[in-house]
Amino acid sequence: MIRTFLTAALLASAAPLGAQPLPTPTPAPSSAPLYLPTVPADVAALRDRALNDDHYAWDIVEGLTTEIGQRMGGTEAEARAREWAVAKLKALGFSNVRVERFAMPVWTRGAESAEILAPFPQKLALTAFGNSASTPPGGISGEVVGFDTLADLMAAPDAAVRGKIVFISHAMPRTQDGSGYGFFGGPRRQGPSIASRKGAIAVVVRSIGTDHHRNPHAGSQSFEEGASPIPSAALALPDAEQLQRILKRGKPVSMHLTLVSSVRQGESGNVIAEVPGRDPKAPVLLVGGHLDSWDLGTGAIDDGAGVAITTAAAKHIMDAGRPLRTIRVVWFGAEEMGLYGGMFYKDLHGREPHYAIAESDFGADRIWKVDSKLGTTREAEARALQAALAPLGIVPGAIDKADGSDIGPMIEGGLPAVGLSQDGTHYFDIHHTPDDTLDKIDPEQLRQNVAAWTAMLATLSGGIEPGPKQAKRR
Amino acid sequence: MIRTFLTAALLASAAPLGAQPLPTPTPAPSSAPLYLPTVPADVAALRDRALNDDHYAWDIVEGLTTEIGQRMGGTEAEARAREWAVAKLKALGFSNVRVERFAMPVWTRGAESAEILAPFPQKLALTAFGNSASTPPGGISGEVVGFDTLADLMAAPDAAVRGKIVFISHAMPRTQDGSGYGFFGGPRRQGPSIASRKGAIAVVVRSIGTDHHRNPHAGSQSFEEGASPIPSAALALPDAEQLQRILKRGKPVSMHLTLVSSVRQGESGNVIAEVPGRDPKAPVLLVGGHLDSWDLGTGAIDDGAGVAITTAAAKHIMDAGRPLRTIRVVWFGAEEMGLYGGMFYKDLHGREPHYAIAESDFGADRIWKVDSKLGTTREAEARALQAALAPLGIVPGAIDKADGSDIGPMIEGGLPAVGLSQDGTHYFDIHHTPDDTLDKIDPEQLRQNVAAWTAMLATLSGGIEPGPKQAKRR
């Protein structure tokens, strides 16, 4: 009763007797709800079995990090890791297990240390960037000049930099999608070249990371044309902040830097294994990660997890039967020092048709979003993929873009691709540091990854039929 | 109505007509509520001003960690820290600022590294314990024998240990009061002596810590009588777990260890400063922390925070006027290597009467509990102290116990004492590691500490009267 009365009163006030009705705004466009197709029962069953029971991925990443440990591209340790990979992939029952070898220059870290000489003598924790020039064994000394951003360094007159050790800071924030790494990685990627061209004798950069541990973040950089190589290194974040505080005191700051390194010619390779499809002429589905790691940790999240997750997913398909399309698993070599493995695969196979390519190389935290770029004629497949993943808490993302590290150039080149985005909120706490070790991987999150990759492969495989072994069992 | 009806029905069923009443259990003793006295307005005002506005503590710990950094007991860096402390304490207006010097042996860390040679070659992160014997510069190699607990090592036959490198693990849990550090610290404190007596050539221990970073936890140990010194070191927790996984594979594990160190005679000292009381003959109130740190970090939480908090509290009393009793602030020297400063203060002053002694040496997280041991005749004072601290969220604890590091032996000796317990839930993530740096201190929690110490000093000071300066202002 009361409500009816009030409604009448409101209506009366909105259109008072004898007045023109007030104009009504155009209704806002409703955001169209995304209706996704039903998930085939066999895809859902495969996905959920992996989610609950997968042990292949943990077995691979535990084994690789324990029995090999660090495996920097081009080193003897990476060669041992390739042997380990071949043995493991054969033992799991993969076919056509092989190594495609290539040559590369191998940069190797030597002794490294940093010390403030004045005004407040103390050591700082740092690590050289890949492709840093070497100091003499006894190191070098110089005055430190600090810049809060790369832009500040670029704007500085050469005279302010010449003969000095440049320090560059930045303000990379923590993000879920890791999008800060591009822009805020500039001090590492471009900083050394800019400092060198202005006449600096060395450059130290606040680690491209989001933690506060005394573990500096390695990473590669390369000197651009016209920039002669100088020693370059990352300070651990607490040490970068310490150096900022010391510089703020306004007294001249001098530093001694030892950053010894060497370069030699070496070799690496891509380890490749397959689940053969029923149609050997159908374009392959490529999944993988990179086998090499930085030298400081054991490469658990970068990228032991990636090869483990994608291999486990392919193994779940193999266990279920024979897909129509061949699934090719690639453990790329020497990604960290410049996508050597990815570029080599592209040189050898990049012109062959691929049904889709996808790489896992962003840690081991849960997948939160799926992007794809399968082409305008394959939207139904992209939607089927989104549908298969949504029950894992995965947001349907773009259907016209995807990215990846080793596979990035091939995506640029037009190959169809899928991107399963891992949550990167904590990734840059650990990335490229000594802390990249097995204990950082949560087995439950790892299984969610395997479930997503299994569902993706099942969706794109063209249908799985019982193989000889599976048929016999029935 | 309904309630009344139900109650009547229940009563009827409990004592049915004509039956014996059922027996009633004795009521449980009620836990007596703790009624605390009213807090004097001047104490509350001083406390709350420190809580909201203190900047003295941050200024001290920021300055000490930035301008000095590490300051291991007996070193030249600790000597610079003493000079810094004297200048700072004088600048703050303290009286009778002085250094009481003493001699001590100084153990100094040299090159250190560890490497698994077989079956899975890789480096491990470790750091030598204080008083470790030195290896030759080229290191030593041996087979590793692992024990999950100190008890397992003790039970092992000598033949299983002789000529080998002993590895001891443990299972220290995370606790708020840090109570795990006693028992689970055994592998560090007693492990090396036990291993040595059984003929081990070296011993490595899982760090006594609760984190998972590649930053090993240093700490001192000493060899008991009959145990000849051997090299001893802490493995970072991820590395200890890695070694356990490697040992579980069941193949012989060999390790190369370099743990170079040296010992020389040196000197340290206690820095002492006072807020003079109106009654120079009244027993003093002693508060403080330790000035020295381990050599790996900058000693922010251990124990830059402790000297900062207690000095800031004394300064707040000084700012308010003149206390009846002298407040003596002590920045103890060389605590980490064996309570040298505390023992030296005890030798010099331990027989003088003290009104109360208290030390802050458990980080910079908030205080959650107050214990005291002022004596049976001073319960009213203990309750007044509990009352003054309760509004800061501090639990009234025991009134018949208190503890402290440097002051521990003097408490044992019978001096009245107060213990303001900091939350140690995260303390052993950082304790004695390179990660003990300024960024680990939360300024808001630091102010809560200063507020608690200020309230404690105000409560026990005998009353604060306006000094000459304060009187003038009015």
Side-chain angles (χ1 to χ4, degrees):
Chain A
M1 273 284 280
I2 290 172
R3 273 173 68 195
T4 307
F5 171 79
L6 276 173
T7 306
L10 285 166
L11 284 172
S13 101
L17 202 68
Q20 283 289 328
L22 284 173
T24 306
T26 310
S30 66
S31 77
L34 186 62
Y35 295 110
L36 293 174
T38 303
V39 182
D42 60 337
V43 171
L46 267 171
R47 177 195 66 207
D48 295 342
R49 200 179 311 148
L51 182 67
N52 295 319
D53 300 334
D54 178 69
H55 59 89
Y56 296 127
W58 182 263
D59 179 56
I60 291 169
V61 70
E62 194 266 359
L64 182 60
T65 57
T66 301
E67 298 180 11
I68 305 297
Q70 76 83 17
R71 46 199 181 276
M72 188 151 162
T75 65
E76 175 274 338
E78 197 203 28
R80 274 188 284 123
R82 281 194 296 280
E83 284 173 31
W84 189 96
V86 166
K88 172 62 72 177
L89 289 161
K90 285 183 175 170
L92 286 169
F94 284 90
S95 301
N96 308 326
V97 179
R98 60 197 186 272
V99 178
E100 294 182 344
R101 296 160 59 202
F102 54 85
M104 63 177 284
V106 181
W107 177 91
T108 303
R109 186 185 311 284
E112 50 189 25
S113 64
E115 195 171 354
I116 303 280
L117 301 173
F120 309 126
Q122 56 191 282
K123 291 180 184 168
L124 299 178
L126 93 176
T127 200
F129 289 134
N131 299 321
S132 164
S134 183
T135 65
I140 58 173
S141 296
E143 190 181 333
V144 178
V145 53
F147 300 96
D148 284 344
T149 66
L150 194 58
D152 290 349
L153 169 62
M154 292 178 78
D158 291 5
V161 169
R162 193 172 298 122
K164 294 185 178 165
I165 296 172
V166 162
F167 164 54
I168 317 170
S169 194
H170 60 83
M172 185 168 92
R174 189 181 290 284
T175 62
Q176 186 176 20
D177 66 358
S179 54
Y181 189 53
F183 178 77
F184 291 101
R188 180 186 95 204
R189 296 190 204 96
Q190 285 80 46
S193 291
I194 296 166
S196 168
R197 275 200 288 260
K198 286 180 183 282
I201 58 168
V203 56
V204 294
V205 173
R206 177 184 165 114
S207 280
I208 313 302
T210 47
D211 63 309
H212 268 90
H213 294 285
R214 300 291 294 287
N215 287 327
H217 296 239
S220 74
Q221 49 98 185
S222 51
F223 288 94
E224 294 158 15
E225 221 173 284
S228 51
I230 55 175
S232 65
L235 286 167
L237 281 96
D239 300 79
E241 294 182 356
Q242 179 83 331
L243 183 52
Q244 279 185 304
R245 281 189 294 269
I246 290 171
L247 286 164
K248 260 191 195 157
R249 257 72 173 171
K251 299 176 184 167
V253 176
S254 61
M255 185 188 271
H256 187 77
L257 271 182
T258 304
L259 292 168
V260 175
S261 61
S262 59
V263 182
R264 61 179 173 78
Q265 199 61 12
E267 73 165 64
S268 179
N270 296 326
V271 180
I272 301 182
E274 289 173 351
V275 181
R278 301 194 305 279
D279 177 0
K281 289 184 184 157
V284 304
L285 269 168
L286 182 158
V287 295
H290 65 84
L291 175 56
D292 67 305
S293 74
W294 271 99
D295 54 339
L296 303 173
T298 64
I301 68 160
D302 189 12
D303 186 26
V307 298
I309 291 162
T310 53
T311 304
K315 171 67 176 159
H316 284 290
I317 302 295
M318 188 200 305
D319 289 351
R322 293 190 69 195
L324 178 71
R325 300 181 180 93
T326 293
I327 296 169
R328 179 177 293 169
V329 179
V330 185
W331 297 21
F332 293 99
E335 187 266 356
E336 296 292 1
M337 290 302 290
L339 306 188
Y340 285 100
M343 295 307 292
F344 187 65
Y345 183 93
K346 181 170 188 274
D347 290 346
L348 285 188
H349 306 288
R351 277 175 302 270
E352 301 163 11
H354 285 67
Y355 196 69
I357 62 177
E359 183 168 8
S360 173
D361 182 21
F362 198 53
D365 280 5
R366 58 185 297 283
I367 295 172
W368 68 281
K369 190 171 58 122
V370 52
D371 290 330
S372 62
K373 189 181 178 185
L374 297 174
T376 47
T377 61
R378 290 168 63 184
E379 181 172 340
E381 244 179 326
R383 296 295 177 207
L385 181 57
Q386 293 176 339
L389 298 179
L392 296 172
I394 297 174
V395 176
I399 61 168
D400 59 355
K401 77 179 185 72
D403 54 20
S405 48
D406 295 280
I407 64 170
M410 292 187 281
I411 300 174
E412 291 282 314
L415 288 190
V418 173
L420 297 177
S421 304
Q422 289 160 310
D423 191 321
T425 307
H426 303 288
Y427 185 64
F428 291 105
D429 291 351
I430 303 297
H431 179 250
H432 293 187
T433 74
D435 267 339
D436 182 0
T437 48
L438 183 66
D439 49 282
K440 307 309 179 304
I441 297 182
D442 174 67
E444 190 175 328
Q445 297 201 27
L446 192 70
R447 286 199 304 274
Q448 190 258 13
N449 275 264
V450 177
W453 282 83
T454 301
M456 185 272 274
L457 286 177
T459 301
L460 300 184
S461 66
I464 303 162
E465 292 189 356
K469 274 187 210 164
Q470 285 77 14
K472 233 181 264 174
R473 272 195 218 138
R474 293 183 181 190
Chain B
M1 276 285 281
I2 290 173
R3 272 174 67 197
T4 307
F5 171 78
L6 277 173
T7 305
L10 285 166
L11 283 172
S13 102
L17 200 67
Q20 284 289 328
L22 285 174
T24 306
T26 310
S30 67
S31 77
L34 187 63
Y35 294 110
L36 293 174
T38 303
V39 182
D42 59 338
V43 171
L46 267 170
R47 177 195 67 206
D48 296 341
R49 199 180 311 148
L51 182 68
N52 295 319
D53 300 333
D54 178 68
H55 59 89
Y56 295 128
W58 183 264
D59 180 57
I60 291 169
V61 70
E62 194 266 359
L64 183 61
T65 56
T66 301
E67 299 181 10
I68 305 296
Q70 77 83 17
R71 46 198 181 277
M72 188 151 161
T75 65
E76 175 274 338
E78 197 203 28
R80 274 189 283 124
R82 280 194 296 280
E83 283 172 31
W84 190 97
V86 166
K88 172 63 74 177
L89 289 161
K90 285 182 176 169
L92 286 169
F94 284 89
S95 301
N96 307 326
V97 179
R98 61 196 186 273
V99 178
E100 295 181 344
R101 296 160 59 202
F102 53 85
M104 63 176 285
V106 181
W107 178 92
T108 304
R109 186 186 312 285
E112 51 189 23
S113 64
E115 196 172 353
I116 303 281
L117 301 174
F120 309 127
Q122 56 190 285
K123 290 180 185 168
L124 298 179
L126 93 176
T127 200
F129 289 133
N131 299 320
S132 165
S134 182
T135 65
I140 58 172
S141 296
E143 190 182 332
V144 178
V145 53
F147 299 96
D148 284 345
T149 66
L150 194 58
D152 290 349
L153 169 62
M154 291 178 79
D158 291 6
V161 170
R162 192 171 300 122
K164 295 186 177 164
I165 296 171
V166 162
F167 164 53
I168 317 171
S169 193
H170 61 83
M172 186 168 92
R174 190 181 289 285
T175 62
Q176 186 175 21
D177 66 357
S179 54
Y181 188 52
F183 178 78
F184 291 101
R188 182 186 94 205
R189 295 191 204 96
Q190 285 80 47
S193 290
I194 296 165
S196 167
R197 274 201 288 259
K198 286 178 183 284
I201 59 168
V203 56
V204 295
V205 174
R206 176 184 166 114
S207 279
I208 313 302
T210 48
D211 63 309
H212 268 90
H213 295 286
R214 300 291 294 287
N215 286 326
H217 295 239
S220 75
Q221 48 98 185
S222 52
F223 288 95
E224 293 158 15
E225 221 175 283
S228 51
I230 56 175
S232 65
L235 287 166
L237 281 96
D239 300 78
E241 294 182 357
Q242 179 84 332
L243 183 52
Q244 280 185 304
R245 280 190 294 270
I246 290 172
L247 285 165
K248 260 193 195 157
R249 258 72 172 170
K251 298 177 187 169
V253 176
S254 61
M255 184 189 271
H256 187 76
L257 270 183
T258 304
L259 291 168
V260 175
S261 62
S262 59
V263 183
R264 61 177 173 79
Q265 199 60 15
E267 72 165 65
S268 178
N270 296 326
V271 181
I272 302 181
E274 289 174 350
V275 181
R278 303 193 304 280
D279 177 0
K281 288 184 186 157
V284 305
L285 268 169
L286 183 158
V287 297
H290 65 84
L291 176 56
D292 67 304
S293 74
W294 270 99
D295 54 338
L296 304 173
T298 64
I301 67 160
D302 188 11
D303 185 29
V307 298
I309 290 162
T310 53
T311 304
K315 171 68 174 158
H316 284 290
I317 303 295
M318 189 200 304
D319 288 350
R322 294 189 69 195
L324 179 71
R325 301 182 180 94
T326 293
I327 295 168
R328 179 177 293 169
V329 178
V330 184
W331 296 21
F332 293 99
E335 186 266 354
E336 296 292 1
M337 289 301 289
L339 307 188
Y340 286 100
M343 295 307 291
F344 187 64
Y345 183 92
K346 181 170 187 277
D347 290 344
L348 285 188
H349 304 290
R351 277 176 300 270
E352 299 163 13
H354 285 67
Y355 195 69
I357 62 177
E359 183 167 7
S360 172
D361 182 22
F362 197 54
D365 280 4
R366 59 184 296 282
I367 295 172
W368 68 282
K369 191 171 60 121
V370 51
D371 291 330
S372 62
K373 188 182 177 183
L374 296 174
T376 47
T377 61
R378 291 168 61 183
E379 180 172 341
E381 244 179 325
R383 297 294 176 206
L385 181 57
Q386 293 176 337
L389 298 179
L392 296 172
I394 296 175
V395 176
I399 60 168
D400 59 355
K401 79 179 183 72
D403 53 21
S405 47
D406 294 280
I407 63 170
M410 291 188 280
I411 299 174
E412 291 283 315
L415 288 189
V418 172
L420 298 177
S421 304
Q422 288 159 310
D423 191 321
T425 307
H426 302 288
Y427 185 64
F428 290 105
D429 291 352
I430 303 298
H431 179 249
H432 292 188
T433 74
D435 268 338
D436 182 0
T437 49
L438 182 67
D439 49 282
K440 307 310 179 303
I441 297 181
D442 175 67
E444 191 175 327
Q445 296 202 28
L446 192 70
R447 286 199 304 274
Q448 189 257 15
N449 274 265
V450 177
W453 283 82
T454 301
M456 186 271 276
L457 286 177
T459 301
L460 300 185
S461 66
I464 303 162
E465 292 189 358
K469 274 186 208 165
Q470 284 78 13
K472 234 182 261 171
R473 273 194 216 138
R474 292 182 181 192

